[in-house]
Amino acid sequence: MALLVIDLMVIAWMVFAVGMEGWADSYESDSASASASASGASSVASQASLILMGGAVLTGGGLLALGWRIPGVVQVVVLMGGAVLVSSLAAGG
């Protein structure tokens, strides 16, 4: 149960970080110094997705290797769902 709470807190923090970076990008696009390079939100979202997917593999895989099937599957599903959520936020969906 503690891992689920930690997972949800990490996902919330990643969503917040992507949202703040998206806000900063929109604020910068109003100024004259806006560049045509990749937005900061997309790079933060890709880093967050990699962190969440890595966490899913490590914690979920570790729990599955220990024989704890239900907590392992929950870890994988929750963290992969968070990775999809974060990447969809950066895509504008």
Side-chain angles (χ1 to χ4, degrees):
M1 188 66 174
L3 285 176
L4 182 62
V5 172
I6 293 169
D7 291 344
L8 294 177
M9 288 173 47
V10 169
I11 291 169
W13 181 255
M14 297 293 180
V15 168
F16 176 75
V18 171
M20 288 300 292
E21 192 64 36
W23 173 79
D25 286 347
S26 69
Y27 183 75
E28 287 177 357
S29 69
D30 293 340
S31 68
S33 65
S35 64
S37 65
S39 69
S42 65
S43 66
V44 170
S46 66
Q47 290 174 353
S49 293
L50 286 174
I51 289 169
L52 291 172
M53 286 188 282
V57 169
L58 289 176
T59 59
L63 289 171
L64 288 171
L66 288 173
W68 294 6
R69 289 190 177 102
I70 293 174
V73 170
V74 168
Q75 281 290 106
V76 170
V77 168
V78 168
L79 289 174
M80 285 295 186
V84 169
L85 172 70
V86 168
S87 65
S88 71
L89 285 176

